[in-house]
Amino acid sequence: MVVFLPLAVAAVLVLLPRLSDSAVRWIWIAACAADLILVVVLWLGYAPSESGFSHEVNRRWIPSVSSGYHIGVDGMSLPLVALTSGLFLACAIYSARETRRVRAFAALFLFLETVCLGLFVSLDLILFFVFFDLSIVGMYFVIAGWGHRDAARAALKFFLYTFLGSLALLLGFIGLYLAATPHTFDIVELSRQNPLAGKGLAGALILLALGVGLAIKTPTVPFHTWLPPAHTEAPAAGSAILAGVLLKMGTYGFVRIVMPTLPDTWRRYALVFVVVGVISVIYGALVALAQRDFKRMIAYTSVNHMGYVILAVGAAGLVASSAEQARHLAITGAVTQMVSHGLITGALFLLAGALYDRGGTYEMDSYSGLAAQAPRFAGLTAIAAFASLGLPGFSGFIAEFQIFTGSLGGAPVSTAVAFLGILITAALFLRALQQMFLGEHRSPNGAFRDVTAPEAASIVPLLVLAVLIGLFPRFLLDVIEPAARAVSAVVGR
């Protein structure tokens, strides 16, 4: 019900062509709100079974290759399911002002919501791959159909890059299937079997395929080049979903699939992922510091923040087997960072969209003194910026504190270098805030109006959640920690 409700509503919107644009908007918002309520009920009723999953369904689907419709939630997927439903509702509210092909826009976003929810609850590799590929198709049409000037080229680059990643991912999945005895695509069964234990070269090749496929989606350096143009040209709601949800498909794939099914190989090559993570942290922050385009700057901070996740999962493979608590803490921090980044960066991209609507450009040099005319807009942007750089009191601090604490034991030098990313991020956001909001007023279109009610209704809840997690993280960590402990035990065995 949670997964397919948005798709059912999208089908209704397509099949009822006489609905007015206003009716379409309200139906879209109502569908997203209903789905979020269902997720809250799911959270309140969350009680994992002996398998570690709750609300599990396992039905025959493609029996000839032992692939089933196997879904369920645990402490790693449930927070991402909640993030997905909340962020899609925020984007539906924010897009209430959209006037271009409203029906198609709403139906496409509802389709994407089903795809994203389906991926996070998938416990079968083929099912995971289907949702993974469909997310590429959906986002391609969002960027190409409702983006800015160079949207067609950005959408094509996004599609080709990420589709190449999905092909590499499929090769890795087939390798896991062939290595298992009996052959299966079931993630839970593959984790139990550990089919590539002691198979050095085969394990390395499958890890390479899976790692490249997921790294492109994350994205990490050097597979990140599709991300800035895709974000720059996408509509604000599309950027919020791309950064807040779709990027998590890559990092989630590491903790859900790669680490549990290839624990030996992961430990052997974990240092590679640590190095990639640190490079992504520093490179993403430095390139973001060099940007003059506000939205492009936020896009590069996503490379930086996802780099922390890769650092954490890599360091978890390097931690000595006796330091189980450190490994568990690193994995918990990685999942918490996924949730935190989704909330904060989603809010930042919606704020960037509001900036573009008023000034017609993302160039920070075109604005100054905006705080005097738009104090609420300035305040929300400042809160989102401080949350993004990981100040105490925000979810980013909780996530990064766990990542650094858990990673120090396994990769002390790399973790120390990654600390510089926080300093650079602080510098780039403080520079942006000073340039855009202080001094004498300047805006390309003259007067700069403050945030509207729909904008506030979409952005404020995301930032409130970031503060709640920062001040009272227990409700989230109590869900994540048992699942992270299970993955940690598999990696350390």
Side-chain angles (χ1 to χ4, degrees):
M1 184 69 174
V2 170
V3 174
F4 291 103
L5 173 62
L7 183 61
V9 176
V12 170
L13 293 180
V14 172
L15 295 173
L16 296 178
R18 294 185 179 181
L19 288 172
S20 67
D21 285 351
S22 178
V24 169
R25 294 186 188 99
W26 282 111
I27 292 172
W28 180 13
I29 293 171
C32 292
D35 209 58
L36 179 58
I37 291 170
L38 290 174
V39 171
V40 171
V41 172
L42 192 73
W43 190 299
L44 294 176
Y46 175 67
S49 63
E50 291 184 3
S51 66
F53 296 92
S54 179
H55 305 283
E56 194 171 0
V57 176
N58 194 354
R59 299 284 184 268
R60 286 166 60 86
W61 183 37
I62 313 177
S64 59
V65 293
S66 300
S67 177
Y69 179 75
H70 191 186
I71 62 172
V73 291
D74 68 350
M76 292 190 297
S77 58
L78 183 57
L80 294 174
V81 167
L83 169 68
T84 299
S85 58
L87 200 52
F88 270 95
L89 175 58
C91 290
I93 296 171
Y94 180 88
S95 300
R97 59 191 177 172
E98 181 62 55
T99 58
R100 298 174 296 167
R101 305 185 301 283
V102 176
R103 183 191 316 278
F105 194 65
L108 198 52
F109 266 80
L110 289 167
F111 164 78
L112 266 174
E113 183 171 6
T114 283
V115 168
C116 296
L117 291 169
L119 182 139
F120 290 130
V121 301
S122 294
L123 296 176
D124 181 272
L125 294 179
I126 296 300
L127 194 61
F128 184 98
F129 177 78
V130 168
F131 287 125
F132 190 93
D133 251 15
L134 290 176
S135 72
I136 300 171
V137 176
M139 187 52 65
Y140 168 82
F141 285 111
V142 168
I143 298 172
W146 288 268
H148 303 312
R149 297 176 301 274
D150 204 19
R153 175 181 290 184
L156 181 61
K157 187 173 185 179
F158 159 78
F159 185 88
L160 292 177
Y161 260 80
T162 50
F163 187 67
L164 177 64
S166 75
L167 293 179
L169 199 63
L170 181 60
L171 286 175
F173 288 170
I174 293 172
L176 283 171
Y177 169 81
L178 294 175
T181 306
H183 298 328
T184 181
F185 284 106
D186 189 275
I187 296 172
V188 178
E189 178 62 21
L190 287 168
S191 300
R192 187 191 65 79
Q193 281 193 28
N194 187 12
L196 287 154
K199 299 178 181 178
L201 179 60
L205 291 174
I206 291 174
L207 177 62
L208 177 63
L210 296 177
V212 169
L214 296 172
I216 290 174
K217 190 78 167 185
T218 297
T220 65
V221 175
F223 306 110
H224 67 288
T225 54
W226 63 264
L227 183 68
H231 272 311
T232 304
E233 304 303 334
S239 290
I241 295 301
L242 179 58
V245 180
L246 265 65
L247 300 192
K248 310 306 176 296
M249 293 178 176
T251 50
Y252 176 74
F254 282 110
V255 296
R256 168 60 69 220
I257 298 171
V258 182
M259 295 174 73
T261 61
L262 295 167
D264 299 336
T265 310
W266 182 262
R267 288 194 302 271
R268 189 175 299 115
Y269 295 99
L271 182 59
V272 175
F273 292 92
V274 168
V275 172
V276 169
V278 173
I279 292 173
S280 297
V281 166
I282 301 302
Y283 178 86
L286 287 173
V287 177
L289 182 63
Q291 300 305 307
R292 292 295 179 264
D293 182 297
F294 185 61
K295 200 178 187 190
R296 201 173 181 91
M297 181 192 80
I298 300 169
Y300 275 108
T301 64
S302 290
V303 178
N304 163 265
H305 284 98
M306 292 298 95
Y308 290 122
V309 178
I310 301 302
L311 166 65
V313 296
L318 295 177
V319 172
S321 57
S322 59
E324 179 70 25
Q325 181 61 29
R327 184 186 301 110
H328 165 229
L329 194 59
I331 297 171
T332 302
V335 178
T336 307
Q337 176 75 334
M338 295 183 214
V339 177
S340 173
H341 177 264
L343 294 171
I344 297 166
T345 307
L348 280 168
F349 276 119
L350 295 181
L351 287 163
L355 180 75
Y356 185 86
D357 287 343
R358 289 151 176 78
T361 180
Y362 296 114
E363 291 295 326
M364 292 183 284
D365 293 341
S366 300
Y367 303 94
S368 67
L370 298 183
Q373 288 202 353
R376 291 190 297 276
F377 177 79
L380 290 173
T381 306
I383 291 171
F386 290 137
S388 185
L389 62 88
L391 281 186
F394 295 100
S395 56
F397 174 77
I398 302 297
E400 290 171 13
F401 179 80
Q402 291 179 106
I403 287 172
F404 289 134
T405 305
S407 301
L408 270 171
V413 176
S414 298
T415 306
V417 173
F419 267 101
L420 295 175
I422 298 177
L423 182 63
I424 301 169
T425 304
L428 67 91
F429 273 117
L430 290 175
R431 185 203 63 183
L433 293 175
Q434 181 181 28
Q435 183 171 347
M436 294 168 59
F437 296 111
L438 302 182
E440 185 178 350
H441 173 73
R442 184 174 72 253
S443 177
N445 295 331
F448 192 97
R449 71 182 187 278
D450 215 337
V451 292
T452 62
E455 290 168 346
S458 60
I459 296 166
V460 170
L462 300 178
L463 297 179
V464 168
L465 280 171
V467 172
L468 285 176
I469 294 172
L471 296 177
F472 310 103
R474 197 69 261 165
F475 79 94
L476 177 63
L477 299 182
D478 281 344
V479 173
I480 296 174
E481 286 176 351
R485 190 174 291 112
V487 174
S488 174
V490 172
V491 173
R493 71 187 178 190

